[in-house]
Amino acid sequence: GQRNTAVQLRVEQSVENRDALAKYVYDHLFDFLVATINRALRVDATRVKSFIGILDIFGFEIFRINSFEQLCINFTNEKLQQLFNEHTFKTEEAVYRAEGVDFPPIVFIDNQPVCDLIEKRGGVFTLLDDVVKGPGKPETKDAKFSQTLDSAMKANEYYVPANEHRGVQGAVFSVKHYAASVCYSCDGFVEKNADTLYPDLYDAMAASTNGLIASMFPPGSEDDPAAKKATLGASFRKQLAALMDTLRATEPHYVRCVKPNQFKRPQLFEGRAVLDQLTCAGVFEAVKIRREGYPFRFPYPYFVTRYKSIMSTNSGWVDFRSRDKRGQAEEIITMSRQAFPELQRGRTMLLFRAHEYRVLELCRALAVDRVSAKIQAKARGRLTRRYLAKVKTVRPTLRRALASKDLGQLEAALRATDEALGVFAQFEVSVPIAEWAAAKEMVVTIKEAIRLAQMLEVACEPSDDDLAAVGQPEAPALEALMRTLTVDCAALVAKIPIEPSFDQWVAYATDRFATAREARLAPRFEAVMRELERDDMSELYAEAKRLGYETPHLAEIEKLVQMSEEQLLKRQYARAHETGQAQRAREKEIALKEVYLNQYAAMFVFERFALLRDQSEYSAAATIGTLHKTEKKETMLQYSKHKLLTSLTRLDNKTAREALKVYRSIMGFMGEKKMYASADLCAEVVAAGLANDQLRPEIYCQLCKQLTGNPNPESSSKGWNLMLMCLLYFPPGDSLENYLHMFIRKNAPVSMRKVLTKATHEIMYQDKLAPEPPALQQLNDAVERALGGNEPRLRRKNSDNR
């Protein structure tokens, strides 16, 4: 017997075998799904007389590199375009010949030569099959196929050989399709067309224990490599031929899908791309042919049915003399009194163009209007007479009900009228009955009066004592009651009284509304005019207007809300003094000061503080021993690690010496000098400010100096905390206050700016300062209260940590 021989394959051969098996499985799995779905949808063939099918295919494909797949797809599009040509153009010509009418010659682009180039014997597909089945190594067959094509097709005007492609290397050829010329690369053509699956792979899959897999590989089938002879191209042509036979046996309709852009984006239209698609699809050719021919084709019976109204005249209907539809159509054309030079009379139909169609439609519309008016006049006259006869029977009933003014009788009369008139009740719109309309209006009026009376009764149910007990009524309830009184009730009161008690309820409710409105708004006006807050005044003003409340305060509020912020603050300050609100007066005075600082910020630059020494005066205090160790005069008001030459402000000698001691304490607390128990130094600074009011501006000036341009974040943070401690215990003085405010605005950290500003204002209004210097614990508590507990507490440092 024969022995199995193992053959080692190259890497590329293994990849080809793997890909061939994957394609085979995918192809047969797809066929299995289609067959399964078709079996589920299949019906009895004897009952099927016709069907509707949808063919959805790829459009024409032109890529940078086009291969065997693109040739198959584009060949399919060629065949479908050929069918479209036959149906649109050749069928057009066949209709004219069958009807025996004169028609202009139809010229269109026939793509039959391109189809022959691809599919006929000696064409691309057959030459490709010959190369596949012929001798030669697989790796040389693509080049051989290219040479065979160029040799066989060089005389064909729709074929472009490889040597005529500029800038393109390799084995290529081009086909001039109906849509565009497409360049195909021959690389892989032979392998893809051969679609080779080795027998051992086929046998291995056929022996699978999976039933579905094994069914895809039946032994001895036409797909078995041992029996398979047809190439992929041949199978494709065979299936396409069957499809074309099916399509030619149907009545095709076309849906042209046009992509507005190449990026699949909404709201983007590329005109050039759309124009190319319409041109390639032959749409413009079809439109041109239809416009040059006779697009309107009406069989004689349909023409007579649609346009026979033209036979009517102002004096009546003109009867047809002819018995057959063609003769009747001629009579209609004659009756229209219009010339139709482009109208063609065929054997079974009339053929004409758009101009004739528009004229016929205009004649028909005029005739329909003329006839319709006469028919409508006759019908309306008859119906109106019948309607008026019925009205006469119900009018007495309606009059009796109106005289009674009783809701029950009115509703009964309306029901009786509806029953008597029946479908003629719709005529009431065009031929109104006065009694009927009056009865309907009276029913609505009575029901509305009853409804409003019940609403007023509920709204006014509590007594005066009850109203006072529950407090002021809510604004929405009052506004709803006001709308009811001023809109709904006022409209009914203007009419003839229906319910005797209704006017009484309106009067009572109006009085109750005025009382409740006064109870709600009067105290609020008193409170608002005491405070004069803009938002509160605007809100109360709007509510008073909605409720129709009149008070002299409204005119005053109109003036106040139009004032500037500064003017209103001055009025609020004056009103707080008038009403004895000391704390509020202080708040408004502070607010006024903030406005003043906003307006005149440029006046209060720290460096221009009047009590500061000038730089020359400051530098003159330097001695020979200190001249080379101390700061220059230009840095008098900027951060420095050196000691002061003298006080920054003009002080007597004794107080100036105290100022230098305070500065050493400030530097020690801020970490600029290594000193024992530096946390206690802040208490020393505060104590010095409490003890000597002349030192206070100096202390704040020293702090401002050390906080100006300080590069050390930790030192700067301690300096701002020390300034806050000072502001909690002693003021900077009237002369420095505004300068300090502007310094804080410009330089303080955002997290502390608001707290420091508030502390500066409050200390200026403090009547009494602390009688004795605070301890460290007291300073800690004061800072935590000011900062809301977010700042770390000050702690004493041991001597080892200096």
Side-chain angles (χ1 to χ4, degrees):
Q2 296 180 351
R3 296 194 318 178
N4 293 331
T5 302
V7 178
Q8 296 292 331
L9 300 179
R10 298 190 305 275
V11 174
E12 57 270 18
Q13 291 176 319
S14 301
V15 171
E16 291 172 1
N17 278 273
R18 178 201 64 189
D19 294 347
L21 179 61
K23 288 191 290 184
Y24 187 95
V25 172
Y26 178 86
D27 180 59
H28 282 66
L29 181 60
F30 184 85
D31 292 341
F32 167 77
L33 290 174
V34 172
T36 303
I37 294 171
N38 286 342
R39 281 197 301 271
L41 300 177
R42 183 177 298 166
V43 296
D44 186 2
T46 60
R47 297 169 53 192
V48 177
K49 296 181 180 180
S50 59
F51 69 93
I52 297 175
I54 298 176
L55 176 62
D56 182 14
I57 70 163
F58 286 101
F60 198 83
E61 290 190 351
I62 306 177
F63 299 131
R64 188 175 63 84
I65 299 177
N66 302 281
S67 189
F68 182 75
E69 298 88 341
Q70 281 69 49
L71 179 63
C72 293
I73 291 173
N74 293 341
F75 175 56
T76 304
N77 279 276
E78 288 283 359
K79 299 293 286 186
L80 292 174
Q81 181 66 25
Q82 187 180 53
L83 178 66
F84 178 76
N85 292 345
E86 293 175 1
H87 180 263
T88 304
F89 307 139
K90 295 181 181 180
T91 303
E92 185 93 356
E93 185 176 299
V95 170
Y96 299 148
R97 293 187 185 279
E99 289 297 321
V101 300
D102 297 331
F103 63 93
I106 299 176
V107 180
F108 61 91
I109 301 174
D110 192 353
N111 66 337
Q112 184 62 48
V114 179
C115 295
D116 293 342
L117 169 68
I118 298 174
E119 68 175 338
K120 288 296 183 181
R121 184 61 190 169
V124 176
F125 277 130
T126 57
L127 292 177
L128 180 60
D129 290 348
D130 292 342
V131 174
V132 168
K133 297 174 182 178
K137 295 182 180 180
E139 57 269 22
T140 64
K141 285 191 174 185
D142 286 335
K144 182 179 179 181
F145 170 61
S146 176
Q147 295 170 3
T148 303
L149 277 181
D150 288 351
S151 177
M153 302 290 184
K154 59 183 179 181
N156 195 310
E157 62 177 316
Y158 296 98
Y159 178 84
V160 181
N163 58 4
E164 294 185 14
H165 290 77
R166 294 182 179 178
V168 179
Q169 297 179 352
V172 297
F173 68 94
S174 292
V175 176
K176 297 179 181 179
H177 292 280
Y178 78 93
S181 181
V182 181
C183 179
Y184 298 97
S185 172
C186 294
D187 292 341
F189 254 69
V190 175
E191 178 193 345
K192 294 174 181 177
N193 186 46
D195 195 26
T196 304
L197 180 65
Y198 282 94
D200 53 351
L201 286 177
Y202 188 94
D203 295 340
M205 300 300 289
S208 173
T209 57
N210 185 294
L212 176 60
I213 296 297
S215 67
M216 295 182 186
F217 297 84
S221 73
E222 63 178 9
D223 294 326
D224 191 334
K228 186 175 181 181
K229 296 180 180 180
T231 61
L232 183 61
S235 300
F236 176 78
R237 296 200 308 277
K238 181 180 178 180
Q239 294 175 9
L240 181 57
L243 173 63
M244 298 307 297
D245 291 340
T246 302
L247 293 176
R248 286 191 172 91
T250 63
E251 182 181 347
H253 298 269
Y254 295 89
V255 177
R256 294 292 186 182
C257 299
V258 179
K259 294 190 294 186
N261 62 78
Q262 301 297 321
F263 308 102
K264 299 180 181 180
R265 294 177 186 168
Q267 307 298 324
L268 177 60
F269 183 86
E270 294 181 334
R272 184 63 192 178
V274 171
L275 180 62
D276 291 342
Q277 293 176 71
L278 294 175
T279 303
C280 292
V283 173
F284 294 128
E285 283 290 319
V287 172
K288 177 182 177 183
I289 294 300
R290 291 302 295 265
R291 291 184 63 182
E292 290 179 353
Y294 301 98
F296 296 95
R297 306 160 188 176
F298 290 176
Y300 289 114
Y302 177 77
F303 184 88
V304 172
T305 301
R306 181 162 184 79
Y307 296 113
K308 64 182 179 181
S309 57
I310 296 176
M311 299 299 292
S312 66
T313 64
N314 291 328
S315 58
W317 179 266
V318 178
D319 294 326
F320 287 114
R321 294 190 298 274
S322 177
R323 296 279 182 101
D324 64 285
K325 296 299 182 182
R326 181 167 183 169
Q328 292 176 0
E330 289 292 347
E331 292 182 42
I332 292 173
I333 293 172
T334 303
M335 194 68 182
S336 68
R337 296 183 179 87
Q338 301 294 322
F340 297 107
E342 299 293 335
L343 187 143
Q344 294 282 346
R345 295 161 176 82
R347 294 186 177 93
T348 63
M349 65 179 68
L350 287 169
L351 301 91
F352 46 91
R353 295 194 171 108
H355 172 72
E356 287 73 24
Y357 175 74
R358 288 193 292 269
V359 173
L360 284 169
E361 286 295 311
L362 178 59
C363 293
R364 178 179 179 270
L366 294 173
V368 169
D369 288 344
R370 186 168 56 248
V371 174
S372 299
K374 293 180 180 180
I375 295 173
Q376 290 175 359
K378 293 289 185 181
R380 287 175 177 172
R382 174 176 168 75
L383 292 174
T384 302
R385 287 190 292 273
R386 291 180 61 187
Y387 167 69
L388 293 176
K390 292 179 178 294
V391 168
K392 289 181 180 180
T393 63
V394 299
R395 185 166 278 161
T397 304
L398 291 171
R399 288 175 176 171
R400 288 193 297 270
L402 285 169
S404 70
K405 297 182 181 179
D406 179 72
L407 181 61
Q409 290 189 36
L410 286 165
E411 289 180 335
L414 291 175
R415 286 195 298 270
T417 302
D418 288 337
E419 292 174 0
L421 295 179
V423 295
F424 287 94
Q426 300 176 5
F427 277 58
E428 195 270 338
V429 177
S430 56
V431 187
I433 308 172
E435 293 85 353
W436 195 8
K440 289 180 179 178
E441 183 180 5
M442 186 172 290
V443 167
V444 172
T445 302
I446 293 174
K447 288 183 177 180
E448 184 67 8
I450 294 172
R451 184 185 70 83
L452 292 174
Q454 292 172 348
M455 287 179 57
L456 295 176
E457 184 178 359
V458 172
C460 302
E461 188 174 2
S463 64
D464 289 339
D465 295 336
D466 295 334
L467 187 65
V470 300
Q472 294 182 347
E474 295 296 329
L478 271 180
E479 292 181 19
L481 179 58
M482 181 180 177
R483 284 194 299 269
T484 301
L485 290 171
T486 59
V487 180
D488 302 332
C489 295
L492 291 181
V493 170
K495 298 179 181 179
I496 301 175
I498 304 298
E499 290 288 332
S501 61
F502 181 70
D503 289 346
Q504 298 174 3
W505 272 114
V506 171
Y508 178 63
T510 302
D511 181 63
R512 293 280 294 177
F513 168 75
T515 302
R517 181 177 61 186
E518 183 70 23
R520 174 178 174 78
L521 296 182
R524 292 177 62 198
F525 266 104
E526 182 178 352
V528 166
M529 298 310 293
R530 177 182 173 87
E531 303 289 338
L532 299 184
E533 290 296 336
R534 191 188 302 274
D535 292 343
D536 294 341
M537 289 190 296
S538 299
E539 180 182 352
L540 186 58
Y541 180 89
E543 184 176 342
K545 286 295 185 181
R546 288 197 302 271
L547 296 177
Y549 184 71
E550 296 295 334
T551 173
H553 293 311
L554 293 176
E556 185 179 358
I557 288 176
E558 289 179 358
K559 296 178 181 179
L560 289 170
V561 296
Q562 294 177 4
M563 289 182 175
S564 66
E565 188 66 22
E566 183 179 4
Q567 291 174 328
L568 185 59
L569 282 171
K570 290 178 179 179
R571 293 294 296 271
Q572 291 171 343
Y573 175 74
R575 183 62 54 88
H577 271 294
E578 293 171 5
T579 55
Q581 303 177 74
Q583 179 61 30
R584 180 172 174 79
R586 182 181 300 172
E587 293 173 357
K588 295 305 173 182
E589 187 175 359
I590 290 174
L592 277 170
K593 182 169 288 187
E594 286 292 317
V595 172
Y596 174 76
L597 292 174
N598 289 337
Q599 293 176 347
Y600 302 103
M603 294 174 54
F604 302 106
V605 178
F606 170 64
E607 290 77 1
R608 300 177 187 172
F609 177 44
L611 294 183
L612 286 172
R613 299 179 187 270
D614 59 38
Q615 294 179 349
S616 301
E617 180 184 358
Y618 176 76
S619 60
T623 63
I624 296 176
T626 63
L627 186 60
H628 302 292
K629 299 179 182 180
T630 56
E631 58 191 354
K632 299 178 181 179
K633 63 180 180 179
E634 289 79 4
T635 59
M636 167 186 166
L637 298 177
Q638 294 182 5
Y639 167 82
S640 174
K641 290 186 178 182
H642 303 299
K643 65 181 182 180
L644 292 177
L645 302 179
T646 183
S647 63
L648 298 177
T649 57
R650 296 184 181 89
L651 298 173
D652 58 68
N653 292 335
K654 179 181 178 181
T655 309
R657 287 192 295 272
E658 292 182 19
L660 296 179
K661 294 179 182 179
V662 171
Y663 183 72
R664 285 194 294 272
S665 298
I666 291 175
M667 293 186 69
F669 178 76
M670 293 178 65
E672 306 302 343
K673 284 185 173 296
K674 295 181 180 180
M675 302 178 70
Y676 294 102
S678 60
D680 289 331
L681 298 176
C682 62
E684 294 179 7
V685 175
V686 174
L690 286 171
N692 190 341
D693 57 351
Q694 293 183 8
L695 266 179
R696 293 169 188 170
E698 174 69 21
I699 292 173
Y700 284 107
C701 287
Q702 291 178 7
L703 286 171
C704 291
K705 163 186 167 57
Q706 289 302 100
L707 289 171
T708 300
N710 191 330
N712 188 338
E714 183 179 358
S715 171
S716 179
S717 176
K718 289 181 179 180
W720 288 112
N721 283 332
L722 180 56
M723 180 177 286
L724 177 60
M725 295 175 199
C726 294
L727 287 171
L728 293 175
Y729 283 94
F730 61 86
D734 294 338
S735 60
L736 182 62
E737 179 190 3
N738 292 342
Y739 293 93
L740 186 59
H741 270 299
M742 297 313 300
F743 182 85
I744 290 171
R745 285 190 183 189
K746 181 179 178 181
N747 299 286
V750 176
S751 59
M752 294 188 66
R753 194 172 300 162
K754 188 175 180 180
V755 176
L756 289 166
T757 299
K758 179 181 178 183
T760 306
H761 284 304
E762 290 181 349
I763 196 65
M764 295 302 296
Y765 287 92
Q766 193 165 326
D767 297 331
K768 292 183 179 180
L769 302 181
E772 57 186 21
L776 180 61
Q777 181 62 39
Q778 291 175 310
L779 285 173
N780 272 323
D781 294 342
V783 170
E784 284 194 0
R785 285 194 301 272
L787 294 175
N790 296 324
E791 196 71 14
R793 297 175 64 85
L794 301 172
R795 303 184 186 279
R796 296 180 185 272
K797 291 186 179 180
N798 297 327
S799 58
D800 295 337
N801 298 329
R802 63 184 183 273

